[in-house]
């Protein structure tokens, strides 16, 4: 998932979710229903990836190398968390992209993980309803796979999830008034090129798009971090985001760069510190980084959309709202 996209539908009057101990009986009941939808969603998603031959791996929290989240058109990070352990500087996971590329090249041709990401978003973002300073990605990667195949996998899995929820979570969806409105979109989903959206909506296309679409919709060719594939001749990026109607971006992914020369050229161009990516660069130089593609689904964003939440913090057991730090 890229850093941040502001859904057009959110207003400044949005209610900031309160912590568990302050919730009324009704609010706790609502949270229990959200818990049931989350369980069903995770159960179905993980089952679907595993049954397609993706290994299920566990996440990491600390590493010397993590996603630079730079450059990204939606970047809004207040602080990057770095700390010292055993005399070494490590960072908390911004996304597991570097680990994904390495693991997919050296070990698992297909795998996924449920990965906690810590992104200390600017505090103004508390009111977008779409940002949390801790969240979970269902992050997956597949070797020798093209973008269109990844998009098809996501479409199949999302359709399957919605069908499953309609069948097995009818009571919850009815409670949230979502049973009728949550329809499995027809596949293939629409695909827009970011340049066309910019021509239509201007630079703010990301805030306009969610209210203009009725079904989950892909956007491709978004300039961002070095690890997404960029064609140096056409200047087109082979990457993709999935946007949800009314809400915003719920997934981002790409075909990856694997050639040492291109990765270093992009790092130099973008001012990304090469010394933070020594292992990746060494493996790339040795030809040990393999072509792959993948994506990460923002789990809380997906659940927010399913239940029709106003603020993403509502679907977190312990809300992690930008600028608001509760005890738990
Ligand atoms: N998970 C994303 C991907 O696979 C990267 C990110 O979250 N920044 O491309």
């Amino acid at each position: 998932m890229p850093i941040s996209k502001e859904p057009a539908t959110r207003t400044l009057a949005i209610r900031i979710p309160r912590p568990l101990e302050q919730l009324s009986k009704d609010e706790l009941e609502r949270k229990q229903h959200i818990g049931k939808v989350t369980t069903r969603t995770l159960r179905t998603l993980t089952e679907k990836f595993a049954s397609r031959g993706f290994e299920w791996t566990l996440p990491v929290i600390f590493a010397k190398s993590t996603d630079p989240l730079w450059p990204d058109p939606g970047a809004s990070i207040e602080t990057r968390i770095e700390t010292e352990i055993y005399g070494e500087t490590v960072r908390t996971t911004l996304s597991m992209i570097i680990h994904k590329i390495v693991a997919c090249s050296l070990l698992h041709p297909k795998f996924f993980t449920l990965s906690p990401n810590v992104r200390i978003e600017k505090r103004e973002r508390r009111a977008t309803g779409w940002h949390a300073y801790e969240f979970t990605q269902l992050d997956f990667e597949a070797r020798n796979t093209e973008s269109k195949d990844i998009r098809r996998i996501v479409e199949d899995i999302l359709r399957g999830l919605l069908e499953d929820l309609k069948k097995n979570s009818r009571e919850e969806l009815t409670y949230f008034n979502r049973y009728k409105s949550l329809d499995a979109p027809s596949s293939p989903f629409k695909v827009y090129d970011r340049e066309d959206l910019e021509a239509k909506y201007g630079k703010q296309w990301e805030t306009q798009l969610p209210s203009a679409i009725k079904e989950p919709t892909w956007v491709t060719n978004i300039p961002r971090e070095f690890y997404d594939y960029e064609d140096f001749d056409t200047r087109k990026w082979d990457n993709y985001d999935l946007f949800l109607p009314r809400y915003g971006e719920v997934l981002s992914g790409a075909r990856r760069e694997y050639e040492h020369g291109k990765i270093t050229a992009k790092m130099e161009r973008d001012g990304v510190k090469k010394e933070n990516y020594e292992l990746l660069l060494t493996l790339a130089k040795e030809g040990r980084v393999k072509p792959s593609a993948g994506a990460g689904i923002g789990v809380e964003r997906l659940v927010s959309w399913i239940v029709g939440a106003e603020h993403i913090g509502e679907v977190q057991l312990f809300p992690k709202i930008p600028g608001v730090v509760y005890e738990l």
Side-chain angles (χ1 to χ4, degrees):
M1 218 172 57
I3 307 189
S4 315
K5 309 288 148 76
E6 321 274 352
T9 47
R10 302 300 202 276
T11 66
L12 284 176
I14 200 164
R15 277 176 303 232
I16 300 301
R18 283 169 293 118
L20 276 186
E21 69 280 8
Q22 291 178 22
L23 299 186
S24 66
K25 202 164 152 281
D26 286 351
E27 288 168 330
L28 285 171
E29 188 189 316
R30 182 177 153 80
K31 203 106 175 167
Q32 277 168 344
H33 283 288
I34 290 172
K36 285 197 167 36
V37 172
T38 305
T39 301
R40 192 78 215 175
T41 299
L42 287 172
R43 177 174 160 178
T44 307
L45 290 178
T46 50
E47 201 281 319
K48 287 190 180 299
F49 275 99
S51 65
R52 283 168 175 264
F54 284 77
E55 298 300 342
W56 187 350
T57 65
L58 294 174
V60 298
I61 302 288
F62 290 119
K64 291 187 189 178
S65 203
T66 191
D67 192 331
L69 285 186
W70 179 264
D72 186 299
S76 170
I77 297 289
E78 201 165 291
T79 3
R80 288 179 150 70
I81 300 184
E82 286 184 5
T83 188
E84 207 176 283
I85 53 171
Y86 311 116
E88 302 275 2
T89 301
V90 290
R91 301 165 178 89
T92 46
T93 299
L94 285 151
S95 93
M96 269 182 61
I97 184 66
I98 307 300
H99 295 74
K100 284 205 305 177
I101 294 173
V102 170
C104 195
S105 298
L106 302 185
L107 186 65
H108 294 308
K110 288 159 89 173
F111 75 102
F112 72 96
T113 182
L114 283 166
S115 158
N117 287 192
V118 180
R119 299 184 183 176
I120 310 303
E121 299 277 358
K122 292 219 167 91
R123 58 198 75 197
E124 303 84 89
R125 289 203 156 164
R126 65 192 277 178
T128 63
W130 202 228
H131 297 93
Y133 68 84
E134 274 184 42
F135 67 95
T136 303
Q137 283 202 59
L138 194 160
D139 224 350
F140 64 98
E141 198 71 18
R143 203 186 290 167
N144 294 324
T145 304
E146 291 180 29
S147 292
K148 65 171 177 17
D149 300 323
I150 297 291
R151 291 202 292 267
R152 213 64 351 117
I153 292 172
V154 170
E155 292 179 7
D156 287 353
I157 287 181
L158 196 61
R159 279 180 66 80
L161 170 67
L162 295 183
E163 278 159 14
D164 176 275
L165 286 169
K166 284 220 152 178
K167 207 159 111 211
N168 296 304
S169 300
R170 187 178 180 138
E171 192 191 321
E172 274 69 44
L173 294 186
T174 306
Y175 173 90
F176 291 112
N177 212 4
R178 287 290 275 153
Y179 185 76
K180 285 214 179 79
S181 58
L182 202 65
D183 267 329
S186 46
S187 203
F189 299 178
K190 277 212 181 73
V191 185
Y192 291 117
D193 186 305
R194 182 260 326 160
E195 284 175 28
D196 296 334
L197 294 174
E198 258 179 33
K200 186 161 177 193
Y201 300 110
K203 291 273 175 216
Q204 297 304 311
W205 62 269
E206 289 174 50
T207 54
Q208 311 278 324
L209 187 65
S211 42
I213 55 176
K214 298 238 157 7
E215 290 187 334
T217 301
W218 295 106
V219 178
T220 60
N221 184 25
I222 307 161
R224 55 187 177 211
E225 292 86 353
F226 69 83
Y227 47 77
D228 283 7
Y229 188 92
E230 181 184 0
D231 185 321
F232 276 5
D233 295 327
T234 61
R235 292 285 151 190
K236 289 254 183 208
W237 292 70
D238 189 0
N239 58 12
Y240 36 86
D241 277 0
L242 184 67
F243 278 76
L244 297 174
R246 286 187 50 243
Y247 278 77
E249 177 268 319
V250 69
L251 165 151
S252 76
R255 168 185 169 199
R256 311 300 177 190
E257 298 287 5
Y258 63 96
E259 288 171 71
H260 180 262
K262 280 188 82 184
I263 298 175
T264 41
K266 290 171 89 178
M267 285 180 170
E268 282 162 15
R269 175 187 75 186
D270 300 340
V272 171
K273 289 184 185 153
K274 281 191 271 181
E275 59 270 30
N276 291 347
Y277 300 95
E278 270 175 24
L279 174 68
L280 180 73
L281 289 170
T282 305
L283 291 174
K285 200 170 200 165
E286 293 169 356
R288 294 173 74 197
V289 176
K290 303 286 177 243
S292 68
I297 301 169
V299 174
E300 294 88 340
R301 286 185 171 184
L302 181 62
V303 174
S304 288
W305 174 67
I306 292 168
V307 302
E310 192 183 358
H311 196 294
I312 193 167
E314 285 169 48
V315 310
Q316 293 183 299
L317 188 53
F318 300 106
K320 302 291 176 189
I321 302 159
V324 183
V325 181
Y326 294 133
E327 183 162 339
L328 296 184

